[in-house]
Every structure is written in C-alpha cells, then in structure tokens.
Amino acid sequence: MSFVEYSEFIQEGDVAIIFLGHDSMMPVKVQQGSQTQTRYGVIRHSKDLIGQRFGTKVTCGKGGWVYVLHPTPELWTLNLPHRTQILYTTDIANITMMLELKPASVVCESGTGSGSLSHAILRTIAPTGHLHTVEFHQQRAEKAEEEFREHRVGHLVTVRNQDVCKEGFGVTGVADAVFLDIPSPWEAVQHAKNAMKRQGGRLCSFSPCIEQVQKTCAALADEGFEEISTLEVLLKVHDVRTITLPLPDFGPDRPLETPTDTPVPSNTSVLCKTTTPPREMAGHTGYLTFATKPRV
Amino acid sequence: MADNGDNDSQHRVNEGDYVVLKRGDIYKAVQIQKKKKTVFEKQWFFLDNAVGEFYGTTFEVVTGGTLQPRKPKHVESSADAKEAGTDNRNILDDGKSQKLTRDDIETLKEQGLKGQEIVQQLIENSTTFRDKTEFAQEKYIKKKKKKYENSVMVLKPSCRVLAMMYHSREPGKICHMRYDTLAQMLTLGNIHAGSKVLVFETCAGLVLGAVMERMGGYGSVVQMYPGGGSVRAGVESFGFPSHFHDTLHEFPICHVNALLAGALDTEAKDIDADAGQANGDKSNLTQTDPGKAESKEGSPDKEDQSMETSTSTDPAEDKEREEREKLREIRGQEKKVKMEAKRKKLAAAAAVLEGRNADGLVIASRFHPCPVLLGLIKFLAPSRPFVVYSQYKEPLIECYTKLREQGGAVSLRLTESWIRHYQVLPNRTHPMLLMSGSGGYLLSGTTVATDTPKTGSTRGEEPAAKRLKLTETTEG
C-alpha cells in the first residue's frame, strides 16, 4: 500500500482503515504479532490482516465483523491524529481543482499542520511532482515527516521547519501553486510570489475570518496578483430515510349509505423515501482566496 | 525573447493549440487557426497574432480584428477621482446626466478610439460623476470598462477554466454540474496517476477530460459510452499531449452484459485473431447503422487498391467517374481501417475491464444512474471509491436504497455542495448578490468484497447488516 498507489493485499507496515460501521472508522498500522481492539472484538494482524485483500470482511473475536479498507487521502483525513485543526475533503477538493494541481505539479504549502491537505496534494501530483511544505512548529514538522515516510510518499515531499512569514518556503522560482493556511497569510504573500515559477502560477489562502481575507486580498493586489477571487464551499449531507406519513381520518365518505358494520380501510399512512438534513452541519470552515500570479 | 528558450517554448501559443479566451468572468474555448474569424463577447477578431505569445497575455482588439498584446499593465487610474460626493441626496435621475449621445459614442468607436479613451470621454461628459461617492465612481468606471474595453486574455486550458466555462455557457450540456461538484467528484473518486478508472458520462467529455488531467497520462481510463459513439468534444478542449490518448480506452455500454456474462471475450479474441471472420459477428453486436455495415462488407475484396489511387493520371472523360470510384474505395478502405481500429480498441478495453479490478468509477450522465451504477460497480476491485452525479436527488435516493439492499459498498453518502462567492473590497466586502441555486448531487461510497456466495449471498448479508445497524444505534 501507498497513499499514491493502490495494491491488492495487505502487507506488514501498511496503514489500513478499519471500517466499523456507519461513519465509524479507525486507522491501524499493520504489524506482525500486533492486536487491535474494536468494539466487535480483537483483530490479530498476523492472521486477520496480513496477506488479506483490501476490502475484505474480517471476523473479530466476539463474532462481529469489520471491513478493512485501503487508505486514501480522504479516509486519512477522517482518521488522522489531529495535531492542529485540519482541512476537510470539501475544501481540499476545491483547493486542488482551483490550484490546477495534477501529476508533475510543484506545490508549496504552509503550514503542514496535521498533513490532511498534504496527503491529498501528494496523491494528486505523484509520481513526478513535488511538495515543499513548511511548518514552524518543530515537533509537528518532525511528526509529519515521519508520517510521510511511513505512508511511502516521503520521496515526493520536503518538510522544512521554519517560519514561512520570515524565511519563506526555502525554494524560489519552482512552484506551480502555493497554498497558505497560516494566521497571517498577508505576511507570506511576497514569499509565495518568490517561490512561484517565472511563468506564473496559482495561489490559495485559507482563512476563517473575513478580516484576514481583506488583508490578504490587499497584499495580493499590491504584489500584482490577478484574478483574485474569494469563495466559500460547504457540504450538505442528505440522510436517506423512509418516513411514514399518517393520513387523517375524514370519517366515512357517504355516511348515510355506508353500512355501519363495514370496517374502515386500514390504509392510514403512507411510506415515503426521502432525505433529511442532519440536525447540525458545518456552517463555516474558512474563506478560500484564489489568485493567479502573472508571468514576469 | 532570448531567455532560456527551450523551457519557455511550451508556454507559448502555437498554431493549432486549444486555448481558452477570457474576458471578465466569461470564458470561451477555441482552437488557434490562422485567418479564422473568432467571435467572442460581441466582438470579432483573428487569433493570428496570439501565435508565439505567452499564455496569459492580454490582447487589445484593434480595428480590423487584429490583436495587439497589451504590454504595460496600465495603471488603475481612476482619472482625477479627487473630487467626490458623500451621498446621493442631490443626484436626480433625469436621464440627462450623460452629455454624449448614443451616436456620439458610435462615432468615437468608429474613429478607432481605445476602450479606455471612450470611458474617459464618458466620465468627462457625465455631469453627475463628480457628485457621486468615491465608491459609486469606482463602480461606474468598472461598469463602463467592462462594456467598452475590448480586451481578451488567452489562457492555457485546464479543468478549472473549462468546468467554469461549461457551467456558465452551456450548463445543459454538462447536466448542470457545477465546477465545485466536479471538484468533489475527482477527490471523492481518488482520481490519481497510475490507477484504472471507469468513466460513464454525457457531459460533453468534460468529466472525462478532468479525470485524464488528474491521471497525467499514467494508468488507464475506460470511457463507457452509450449509443453509437463516445462524445469527447470537451476532451479536445483540454489539448492533451497525444500520449495521453494512448491510455484512453472506450467501451460501448451495450456490451456490458455480454462482457459480464463472459460472452464477449471470445468475440474480442476472434477480432484480434482474424478480422475478416469477426466482421459479420461484430456488426450484429455493435448494431451499427446499415450503411456502415454495407461499406464494410464491400471493402474486403477491394483491399490493397489504395496504391492505385496515388498513381491515377488518366486524362479522359471517365477520369471523373474513376475518381469518384476511387474516392469511394478510399472511403471504404478508410472505413474498414476505422472499423478494424475500433474493434481492436474494443478488444483492448474489454481486456482492461475483464479483470474486474478497476480502481475507480465516475458516473455523470443524463441516464438514470441506478442501472448504470449497479452494472458498472461490478468492474471495481474491493476497497475502491465510486462517485455518481445526478442533477436530481431522487434517482440517487434509489441508488442508495438498491445498493444498501445489494451490499458490496460501504460509506454511502448522498451529498450536495454549496458555493458562495465574495466581493472583497475595502469597506465593501460582502457575499455576491447572485449565487448558483444547485450544482447537482453526488452519491459516493467505497466497494467491499461481497460474501463468498455459498448459501445465497443476499441471505447471509441481510441479518448481518441489520445487526450492525442495531449495534450502532445502541452505541450511538
């Protein structure tokens, strides 16, 4: 397994996603002799996982069962250990498209955070692209680097432990796209411009507050960025349900002619397939500001 | 330009390139052809001058329809915007504030005045301009600029611009799929280099192109197509290098049942082995129109006559008739070659599908998604994502229900994405007044291995699924 390449069978050292049921998952690192406890019982890695096909049903100790899934950046996003707030798939999808990422893209990112977006970028730019990611928190930077190695994408990424607002991305003139998720992105706009290719490229900044967006847009305009556009994306999940709508009883149709002893038809409700929105949903994650660096 | 040329050459516009024209928020995909008149946003011009320039260049349309690269980024001069009012209490709408008449403006245009100069004239001849607030002045200039500045930008095509272009220009052709929905599809489908992806779409090839862009020419894409042939107009617009097309296969959906039943693969092998024999069988299968089948049958005996056509120099009057005949032969030959190629392609696509180990499935069509999904999901390996688009929610509810009954998929989610654009300007930041009502719906999920069918898989599945549900509710 690798986050950038599917494989058929589970091997030692792989990350596998244990699917426990509706919206309930957990990641495991597959190791010979290891055991994982779930609410359906124990999973013995040597017997239950190694050599099995991804996607198979694994019977656990208590007779319950789970599915074991091949990791993808999307599943990882839902299962990763949070070291920071993370970006979720809805935003990631739009960032990826609007930054025009594809195989061979060179991308700069800051901060690395928990690596949720990083994995999605790596998946998209593999096998010939590269990600330069900058994280000023030393422990987080180290942890991310370790994770990338474990996930077998280490060759596609360089993690730098520095302050992007002061020291930039550590590269100049190489990036097709830059992504900023930092508290003061306007302070990094100049560095972003320097990191980008002479032919130009795309930039995205993610900020939760509108004041941050305003400062960033002003900085982008000052630096000569074009096509500046701010947007917000949300995901609405529809739960599929079968509902029962009772029918009101208007009494007998023609009271005089109906014999009183005939039973009233029992058809007093209607079944109906529909969707309901969840009671609560994410109402705001952040504003996404995109811009194009023109050719110089 | 003398600077490291070889690296730059790929960033320059070449004749024959597929490009996207941009003006404001309006996009149009065209191919660069010399001396070809292009109409865009009520102006016409020739793209000849774009050849050799860099992608991203903005051109000014000058008289005679020629393009002139706009070199210096003219400073955002709001003229002499020093004078401005504070409110509009004294501004009356008497319809007489503009001193220039429609005819005057037409004359200015005919004189070949640049857009910028016309805007300046309009400002100077507006009696109320100076009384407007600073913001109103800016808005006025912006509006006039949009109308009179005849500039056009030439962009390299990408999934982003093409998805936005189709959504605004021809939403009907792409089943009203909004660009953010397409973005979700590519991500939820885990589309990436090196995988084997099945695509069924009737979105003019936009979805197929988007998938191909994300694959970067690595792996394989099988386009499952309905009817007589695949639609790929949108794919053309991406301007992919030719090697991308080597990874693209196509398979008619009308053969899916045969393939699943194992009835097609012998056919496919026959086709490969000897084309002549398979010819007849094939035409029955593909249900091509009678004309096509006829020409195909006619062609075998006239093989190797293409040589003759190149040496034809008869001066007589029957030259014409001969030529006509030859033309027909050539056409027959061409058709035969095409059919041959098509059959080879079919066999290749069948071979790709046969392993039933595809890595992803993307469906976006005007057909009912339910049979499409239930039919094509069989080609996926376990633990692979699939995503189905529909303009309407109800068919996806049906898909959801059927898939639940059938099993073989987990993490089923019916979602809709919502996008809002913002105007960000000093002291005037707010959401855009207009937003798109809907960009369609998605059903996504992950395949899993179905139980080994020993005593009827559905019977084994049902209680287990129920039990799982039960435990969830008790735990939740």
PDB file of all heavy atoms in Angstrom, chain A residues 7-31:
ATOM      1  N   SER A   7      -2.747  -1.133  -3.895  1.00  0.00           N
ATOM      2  CA  SER A   7      -2.262  -2.500  -4.006  1.00  0.00           C
ATOM      3  C   SER A   7      -3.378  -3.423  -3.548  1.00  0.00           C
ATOM      4  O   SER A   7      -4.326  -3.000  -2.894  1.00  0.00           O
ATOM      5  CB  SER A   7      -0.986  -2.698  -3.199  1.00  0.00           C
ATOM      6  OG  SER A   7      -1.142  -2.148  -1.916  1.00  0.00           O
ATOM      7  N   GLU A   8      -3.237  -4.677  -3.905  1.00  0.00           N
ATOM      8  CA  GLU A   8      -4.331  -5.608  -3.680  1.00  0.00           C
ATOM      9  C   GLU A   8      -4.341  -6.167  -2.262  1.00  0.00           C
ATOM     10  O   GLU A   8      -5.393  -6.229  -1.621  1.00  0.00           O
ATOM     11  CB  GLU A   8      -4.204  -6.746  -4.705  1.00  0.00           C
ATOM     12  CG  GLU A   8      -5.509  -7.450  -4.970  1.00  0.00           C
ATOM     13  CD  GLU A   8      -5.377  -8.480  -6.089  1.00  0.00           C
ATOM     14  OE1 GLU A   8      -4.414  -8.388  -6.880  1.00  0.00           O
ATOM     15  OE2 GLU A   8      -6.239  -9.371  -6.151  1.00  0.00           O
ATOM     16  N   PHE A   9      -3.148  -6.532  -1.773  1.00  0.00           N
ATOM     17  CA  PHE A   9      -3.089  -7.249  -0.493  1.00  0.00           C
ATOM     18  C   PHE A   9      -2.457  -6.416   0.611  1.00  0.00           C
ATOM     19  O   PHE A   9      -1.625  -5.560   0.351  1.00  0.00           O
ATOM     20  CB  PHE A   9      -2.323  -8.562  -0.669  1.00  0.00           C
ATOM     21  CG  PHE A   9      -2.978  -9.499  -1.639  1.00  0.00           C
ATOM     22  CD1 PHE A   9      -2.477  -9.636  -2.932  1.00  0.00           C
ATOM     23  CD2 PHE A   9      -4.124 -10.203  -1.284  1.00  0.00           C
ATOM     24  CE1 PHE A   9      -3.094 -10.477  -3.838  1.00  0.00           C
ATOM     25  CE2 PHE A   9      -4.743 -11.052  -2.177  1.00  0.00           C
ATOM     26  CZ  PHE A   9      -4.236 -11.184  -3.470  1.00  0.00           C
ATOM     27  N   ILE A  10      -2.848  -6.711   1.824  1.00  0.00           N
ATOM     28  CA  ILE A  10      -2.325  -6.009   2.994  1.00  0.00           C
ATOM     29  C   ILE A  10      -0.963  -6.599   3.361  1.00  0.00           C
ATOM     30  O   ILE A  10      -0.798  -7.817   3.399  1.00  0.00           O
ATOM     31  CB  ILE A  10      -3.289  -6.151   4.184  1.00  0.00           C
ATOM     32  CG1 ILE A  10      -4.676  -5.645   3.793  1.00  0.00           C
ATOM     33  CG2 ILE A  10      -2.761  -5.411   5.406  1.00  0.00           C
ATOM     34  CD1 ILE A  10      -5.770  -6.024   4.763  1.00  0.00           C
ATOM     35  N   GLN A  11      -0.017  -5.705   3.598  1.00  0.00           N
ATOM     36  CA  GLN A  11       1.329  -6.144   3.958  1.00  0.00           C
ATOM     37  C   GLN A  11       1.737  -5.528   5.283  1.00  0.00           C
ATOM     38  O   GLN A  11       1.156  -4.530   5.715  1.00  0.00           O
ATOM     39  CB  GLN A  11       2.342  -5.692   2.900  1.00  0.00           C
ATOM     40  CG  GLN A  11       2.218  -6.424   1.592  1.00  0.00           C
ATOM     41  CD  GLN A  11       3.179  -5.853   0.572  1.00  0.00           C
ATOM     42  OE1 GLN A  11       3.259  -4.645   0.387  1.00  0.00           O
ATOM     43  NE2 GLN A  11       3.920  -6.730  -0.087  1.00  0.00           N
ATOM     44  N   GLU A  12       2.744  -6.098   5.874  1.00  0.00           N
ATOM     45  CA  GLU A  12       3.305  -5.548   7.099  1.00  0.00           C
ATOM     46  C   GLU A  12       3.765  -4.112   6.855  1.00  0.00           C
ATOM     47  O   GLU A  12       4.348  -3.795   5.824  1.00  0.00           O
ATOM     48  CB  GLU A  12       4.495  -6.412   7.535  1.00  0.00           C
ATOM     49  CG  GLU A  12       5.346  -5.742   8.595  1.00  0.00           C
ATOM     50  CD  GLU A  12       5.691  -6.653   9.750  1.00  0.00           C
ATOM     51  OE1 GLU A  12       6.043  -7.803   9.470  1.00  0.00           O
ATOM     52  OE2 GLU A  12       5.612  -6.208  10.903  1.00  0.00           O
ATOM     53  N   GLY A  13       3.468  -3.233   7.818  1.00  0.00           N
ATOM     54  CA  GLY A  13       3.887  -1.840   7.703  1.00  0.00           C
ATOM     55  C   GLY A  13       2.848  -0.950   7.043  1.00  0.00           C
ATOM     56  O   GLY A  13       2.979   0.270   7.066  1.00  0.00           O
ATOM     57  N   ASP A  14       1.828  -1.569   6.469  1.00  0.00           N
ATOM     58  CA  ASP A  14       0.774  -0.777   5.815  1.00  0.00           C
ATOM     59  C   ASP A  14      -0.075  -0.036   6.843  1.00  0.00           C
ATOM     60  O   ASP A  14      -0.156  -0.441   8.001  1.00  0.00           O
ATOM     61  CB  ASP A  14      -0.167  -1.706   5.032  1.00  0.00           C
ATOM     62  CG  ASP A  14       0.408  -2.131   3.697  1.00  0.00           C
ATOM     63  OD1 ASP A  14       1.530  -1.681   3.384  1.00  0.00           O
ATOM     64  OD2 ASP A  14      -0.256  -2.896   2.982  1.00  0.00           O
ATOM     65  N   VAL A  15      -0.712   1.016   6.365  1.00  0.00           N
ATOM     66  CA  VAL A  15      -1.778   1.635   7.136  1.00  0.00           C
ATOM     67  C   VAL A  15      -3.070   1.068   6.559  1.00  0.00           C
ATOM     68  O   VAL A  15      -3.255   1.061   5.348  1.00  0.00           O
ATOM     69  CB  VAL A  15      -1.771   3.166   6.994  1.00  0.00           C
ATOM     70  CG1 VAL A  15      -3.022   3.765   7.623  1.00  0.00           C
ATOM     71  CG2 VAL A  15      -0.538   3.754   7.637  1.00  0.00           C
ATOM     72  N   ALA A  16      -3.919   0.536   7.405  1.00  0.00           N
ATOM     73  CA  ALA A  16      -5.212   0.054   6.935  1.00  0.00           C
ATOM     74  C   ALA A  16      -6.292   0.787   7.706  1.00  0.00           C
ATOM     75  O   ALA A  16      -6.082   1.194   8.846  1.00  0.00           O
ATOM     76  CB  ALA A  16      -5.330  -1.448   7.161  1.00  0.00           C
ATOM     77  N   ILE A  17      -7.418   1.002   7.053  1.00  0.00           N
ATOM     78  CA  ILE A  17      -8.528   1.686   7.720  1.00  0.00           C
ATOM     79  C   ILE A  17      -9.555   0.622   8.088  1.00  0.00           C
ATOM     80  O   ILE A  17     -10.071  -0.085   7.220  1.00  0.00           O
ATOM     81  CB  ILE A  17      -9.167   2.745   6.797  1.00  0.00           C
ATOM     82  CG1 ILE A  17      -8.113   3.712   6.238  1.00  0.00           C
ATOM     83  CG2 ILE A  17     -10.276   3.484   7.537  1.00  0.00           C
ATOM     84  CD1 ILE A  17      -7.449   4.618   7.235  1.00  0.00           C
ATOM     85  N   ILE A  18      -9.807   0.489   9.379  1.00  0.00           N
ATOM     86  CA  ILE A  18     -10.803  -0.475   9.833  1.00  0.00           C
ATOM     87  C   ILE A  18     -12.159   0.215   9.821  1.00  0.00           C
ATOM     88  O   ILE A  18     -12.362   1.212  10.517  1.00  0.00           O
ATOM     89  CB  ILE A  18     -10.493  -0.963  11.266  1.00  0.00           C
ATOM     90  CG1 ILE A  18      -9.073  -1.516  11.350  1.00  0.00           C
ATOM     91  CG2 ILE A  18     -11.528  -1.991  11.718  1.00  0.00           C
ATOM     92  CD1 ILE A  18      -8.837  -2.797  10.611  1.00  0.00           C
ATOM     93  N   PHE A  19     -13.054  -0.306   8.997  1.00  0.00           N
ATOM     94  CA  PHE A  19     -14.392   0.280   8.884  1.00  0.00           C
ATOM     95  C   PHE A  19     -15.341  -0.476   9.812  1.00  0.00           C
ATOM     96  O   PHE A  19     -15.637  -1.648   9.608  1.00  0.00           O
ATOM     97  CB  PHE A  19     -14.864   0.187   7.438  1.00  0.00           C
ATOM     98  CG  PHE A  19     -16.197   0.832   7.208  1.00  0.00           C
ATOM     99  CD1 PHE A  19     -16.296   2.187   6.966  1.00  0.00           C
ATOM    100  CD2 PHE A  19     -17.357   0.072   7.247  1.00  0.00           C
ATOM    101  CE1 PHE A  19     -17.529   2.789   6.758  1.00  0.00           C
ATOM    102  CE2 PHE A  19     -18.597   0.665   7.043  1.00  0.00           C
ATOM    103  CZ  PHE A  19     -18.676   2.032   6.811  1.00  0.00           C
ATOM    104  N   LEU A  20     -15.783   0.217  10.855  1.00  0.00           N
ATOM    105  CA  LEU A  20     -16.583  -0.434  11.898  1.00  0.00           C
ATOM    106  C   LEU A  20     -18.081  -0.323  11.652  1.00  0.00           C
ATOM    107  O   LEU A  20     -18.871  -1.015  12.275  1.00  0.00           O
ATOM    108  CB  LEU A  20     -16.261   0.203  13.254  1.00  0.00           C
ATOM    109  CG  LEU A  20     -14.821   0.013  13.738  1.00  0.00           C
ATOM    110  CD1 LEU A  20     -14.463   1.090  14.731  1.00  0.00           C
ATOM    111  CD2 LEU A  20     -14.641  -1.355  14.341  1.00  0.00           C
ATOM    112  N   GLY A  21     -18.469   0.541  10.785  1.00  0.00           N
ATOM    113  CA  GLY A  21     -19.891   0.770  10.553  1.00  0.00           C
ATOM    114  C   GLY A  21     -20.071   2.225  10.221  1.00  0.00           C
ATOM    115  O   GLY A  21     -19.101   2.976  10.204  1.00  0.00           O
ATOM    116  N   HIS A  22     -21.277   2.581   9.958  1.00  0.00           N
ATOM    117  CA  HIS A  22     -21.645   3.917   9.527  1.00  0.00           C
ATOM    118  C   HIS A  22     -20.814   5.027  10.195  1.00  0.00           C
ATOM    119  O   HIS A  22     -20.927   5.263  11.396  1.00  0.00           O
ATOM    120  CB  HIS A  22     -23.138   4.128   9.829  1.00  0.00           C
ATOM    121  CG  HIS A  22     -23.620   5.475   9.439  1.00  0.00           C
ATOM    122  ND1 HIS A  22     -23.782   5.842   8.118  1.00  0.00           N
ATOM    123  CD2 HIS A  22     -23.946   6.545  10.173  1.00  0.00           C
ATOM    124  CE1 HIS A  22     -24.202   7.081   8.089  1.00  0.00           C
ATOM    125  NE2 HIS A  22     -24.316   7.536   9.304  1.00  0.00           N
ATOM    126  N   ASP A  23     -19.963   5.676   9.391  1.00  0.00           N
ATOM    127  CA  ASP A  23     -19.166   6.813   9.866  1.00  0.00           C
ATOM    128  C   ASP A  23     -18.248   6.505  11.042  1.00  0.00           C
ATOM    129  O   ASP A  23     -17.851   7.402  11.766  1.00  0.00           O
ATOM    130  CB  ASP A  23     -20.083   7.982  10.258  1.00  0.00           C
ATOM    131  CG  ASP A  23     -20.421   8.830   9.045  1.00  0.00           C
ATOM    132  OD1 ASP A  23     -19.833   8.574   7.975  1.00  0.00           O
ATOM    133  OD2 ASP A  23     -21.273   9.727   9.169  1.00  0.00           O
ATOM    134  N   SER A  24     -17.949   5.243  11.249  1.00  0.00           N
ATOM    135  CA  SER A  24     -17.081   4.889  12.361  1.00  0.00           C
ATOM    136  C   SER A  24     -15.900   4.083  11.832  1.00  0.00           C
ATOM    137  O   SER A  24     -16.071   2.987  11.308  1.00  0.00           O
ATOM    138  CB  SER A  24     -17.884   4.089  13.381  1.00  0.00           C
ATOM    139  OG  SER A  24     -17.018   3.526  14.334  1.00  0.00           O
ATOM    140  N   MET A  25     -14.727   4.682  11.929  1.00  0.00           N
ATOM    141  CA  MET A  25     -13.530   4.044  11.371  1.00  0.00           C
ATOM    142  C   MET A  25     -12.363   4.245  12.310  1.00  0.00           C
ATOM    143  O   MET A  25     -12.407   5.112  13.176  1.00  0.00           O
ATOM    144  CB  MET A  25     -13.174   4.687  10.029  1.00  0.00           C
ATOM    145  CG  MET A  25     -14.086   4.324   8.902  1.00  0.00           C
ATOM    146  SD  MET A  25     -13.604   5.176   7.389  1.00  0.00           S
ATOM    147  CE  MET A  25     -14.629   6.613   7.424  1.00  0.00           C
ATOM    148  N   MET A  26     -11.326   3.451  12.118  1.00  0.00           N
ATOM    149  CA  MET A  26     -10.082   3.696  12.837  1.00  0.00           C
ATOM    150  C   MET A  26      -8.902   3.251  11.978  1.00  0.00           C
ATOM    151  O   MET A  26      -9.003   2.285  11.224  1.00  0.00           O
ATOM    152  CB  MET A  26     -10.082   2.967  14.184  1.00  0.00           C
ATOM    153  CG  MET A  26     -10.250   1.465  14.087  1.00  0.00           C
ATOM    154  SD  MET A  26     -10.602   0.724  15.679  1.00  0.00           S
ATOM    155  CE  MET A  26      -8.988   0.723  16.403  1.00  0.00           C
ATOM    156  N   PRO A  27      -7.795   3.998  12.059  1.00  0.00           N
ATOM    157  CA  PRO A  27      -6.623   3.596  11.286  1.00  0.00           C
ATOM    158  C   PRO A  27      -5.783   2.624  12.107  1.00  0.00           C
ATOM    159  O   PRO A  27      -5.724   2.740  13.328  1.00  0.00           O
ATOM    160  CB  PRO A  27      -5.880   4.915  11.108  1.00  0.00           C
ATOM    161  CG  PRO A  27      -6.247   5.732  12.300  1.00  0.00           C
ATOM    162  CD  PRO A  27      -7.578   5.254  12.807  1.00  0.00           C
ATOM    163  N   VAL A  28      -5.168   1.648  11.458  1.00  0.00           N
ATOM    164  CA  VAL A  28      -4.215   0.789  12.166  1.00  0.00           C
ATOM    165  C   VAL A  28      -2.932   0.666  11.356  1.00  0.00           C
ATOM    166  O   VAL A  28      -2.952   0.730  10.129  1.00  0.00           O
ATOM    167  CB  VAL A  28      -4.745  -0.646  12.420  1.00  0.00           C
ATOM    168  CG1 VAL A  28      -5.915  -0.650  13.360  1.00  0.00           C
ATOM    169  CG2 VAL A  28      -5.092  -1.347  11.124  1.00  0.00           C
ATOM    170  N   LYS A  29      -1.844   0.541  12.072  1.00  0.00           N
ATOM    171  CA  LYS A  29      -0.574   0.262  11.423  1.00  0.00           C
ATOM    172  C   LYS A  29      -0.380  -1.237  11.523  1.00  0.00           C
ATOM    173  O   LYS A  29      -0.347  -1.792  12.633  1.00  0.00           O
ATOM    174  CB  LYS A  29       0.538   1.015  12.153  1.00  0.00           C
ATOM    175  CG  LYS A  29       1.717   1.282  11.267  1.00  0.00           C
ATOM    176  CD  LYS A  29       2.687   2.173  11.971  1.00  0.00           C
ATOM    177  CE  LYS A  29       4.082   1.630  11.767  1.00  0.00           C
ATOM    178  NZ  LYS A  29       5.047   2.303  12.629  1.00  0.00           N
ATOM    179  N   VAL A  30      -0.312  -1.884  10.391  1.00  0.00           N
ATOM    180  CA  VAL A  30      -0.280  -3.346  10.377  1.00  0.00           C
ATOM    181  C   VAL A  30       1.105  -3.851  10.766  1.00  0.00           C
ATOM    182  O   VAL A  30       2.106  -3.488  10.145  1.00  0.00           O
ATOM    183  CB  VAL A  30      -0.670  -3.881   8.972  1.00  0.00           C
ATOM    184  CG1 VAL A  30      -0.635  -5.396   8.956  1.00  0.00           C
ATOM    185  CG2 VAL A  30      -2.041  -3.372   8.584  1.00  0.00           C
ATOM    186  N   GLN A  31       1.138  -4.648  11.839  1.00  0.00           N
ATOM    187  CA  GLN A  31       2.421  -5.187  12.308  1.00  0.00           C
ATOM    188  C   GLN A  31       2.255  -6.637  12.708  1.00  0.00           C
ATOM    189  O   GLN A  31       1.289  -6.990  13.397  1.00  0.00           O
ATOM    190  CB  GLN A  31       2.923  -4.381  13.508  1.00  0.00           C
ATOM    191  CG  GLN A  31       3.647  -3.115  13.081  1.00  0.00           C
ATOM    192  CD  GLN A  31       3.919  -2.196  14.249  1.00  0.00           C
ATOM    193  OE1 GLN A  31       3.058  -2.019  15.115  1.00  0.00           O
ATOM    194  NE2 GLN A  31       5.086  -1.601  14.259  1.00  0.00           N
TER     195      GLN A  31
END
